């Protein structure tokens, strides 16, 4: 059992089944090792919809056996898949909660969401107090909660949204949500704890590196990066946006700099052996991005 400062999900500790008027959306592709735990932890939602991108394992039959509605949709990208889910006519509620298949929801978070949704619905006849909620996620890597490395403190993500005021952009890597209205923060965290193993994690990050290399393309001048930052519509914390979009592109020797920043400056050393590996693999990921990007640029020049 992982030591997280909160106990892993136990059936019976959370709100009653199907009592919270929210549609939970879970995106899946070959998530057999994770899907049971994930769906068990959101059984309190009135509706659970799995959007499956052509799984080759038993993800879909397991999801259906647990009462989830399944929609099969070929992969449209991180943002595209979420935008597709938001516009599904079968969703019964305007409030939508996105949960990844390798995540689980604690009873503390479930209770908080139930209270917030009840408050928003009760106040809807007057004026909504917000259009979305952000929360932090606790990443568990090789059995260890990564508290440092600059990861947990800046991990605010918008997952609970009113779909009437929400849309996702077209970013290749990750997903950036645009919300037309106030965004409030939840007190409790969601837990990201993948059970597919280290090899699967590494393969996944190779795919992420390929997408990131495509996204970067030609580097923008500093003035253009600043203009883009000022006009951004996504919900990332400003300091995170500045570091990623303005500072990091100008940093030399990015893999080494990233390792030093995560392991020394942001105290990843206190996360033990898992923290060391986590920082090393992120530096390795950055080296993969650089190599793939350089290879693509060389190929383009040869074509020209």
């Amino acid at each position: 059992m992982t030591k997280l400062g909160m106990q892993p999900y136990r059936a019976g500790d959370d709100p009653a089944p199907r009592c919270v008027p929210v549609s939970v959306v879970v995106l899946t592709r070959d998530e057999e090792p994770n899907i049971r735990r994930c769906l068990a932890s959101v059984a309190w939602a009135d509706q659970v919809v799995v959007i499956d991108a052509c799984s080759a394992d038993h993800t879909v039959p397991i999801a259906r056996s647990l009462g989830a509605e399944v929609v099969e949709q070929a992969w449209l990208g991180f943002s595209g898949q979420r935008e597709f889910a938001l516009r599904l006519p079968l969703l019964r509620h305007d409030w939508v909660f996105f949960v990844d298949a390798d995540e689980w929801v604690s009873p503390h978070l479930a209770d908080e969401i139930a209270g917030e949704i009840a408050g928003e619905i009760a106040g809807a006849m007057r004026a909504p107090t917000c259009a979305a909620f952000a929360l932090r996620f606790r990443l568990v890597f090789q059995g260890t909660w990564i508290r440092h490395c600059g990861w947990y403190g800046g991990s605010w993500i918008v997952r609970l949204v009113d779909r009437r005021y929400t849309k996702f952009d077209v970013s290749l890597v990750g997903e950036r949500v645009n919300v037309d209205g106030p965004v409030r923060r939840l007190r409790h965290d969601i837990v990201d704890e993948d059970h597919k193993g280290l090899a699967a994690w590494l393969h996944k990050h190779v795919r992420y590196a390929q997408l990131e290399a495509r996204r970067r393309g030609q580097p923008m001048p500093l003035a253009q990066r600043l203009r883009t930052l000022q006009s951004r519509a996504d919900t990332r914390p400003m300091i995170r946006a500045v570091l990623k979009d303005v500072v990091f592109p100008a940093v030399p020797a990015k893999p080494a700099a990233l390792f030093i920043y995560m392991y020394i400056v942001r105290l990843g050393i206190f996360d033990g052996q898992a923290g060391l590996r986590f920082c090393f693999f992120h530096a390795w990921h950055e080296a993969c991005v650089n190599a793939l990007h350089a290879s693509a640029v060389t190929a383009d020049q040869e074509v020209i």
Side-chain angles (χ1 to χ4, degrees), residues 218 293-304:
Q218 289 297 114
H293 183 257
S295 177
V297 171
T298 301
D300 288 344
Q301 290 174 344
E302 290 176 351
V303 169
I304 294 171

Side-chain angles (χ1 to χ4, degrees), residues 66-108:
L66 294 174
E69 300 174 61
V70 177
V71 176
E72 298 191 51
Q73 170 60 50
W75 186 244
L76 299 171
F78 295 97
S79 290
Q81 204 79 345
R82 292 189 190 275
E83 182 65 21
F84 167 82
L86 276 184
R87 309 307 160 204
L88 278 175
L90 66 82
L91 293 187
R92 295 198 292 267
H93 303 284
D94 288 323
W95 281 99
V96 178
F97 183 38
F98 285 100
V99 180
D100 287 348
D102 58 359
E103 297 171 344
W104 54 267
V105 178
S106 72
H108 312 79

Side-chain angles (χ1 to χ4, degrees), residues 10-11 37 48 85 100 111 115 120 131 189 192 244 302:
R10 294 186 306 173
R37 179 195 58 191
V48 178
D100 287 348
D111 280 335
E120 288 302 315
D189 309 330
D192 182 318
K244 185 169 184 178
E302 290 176 351

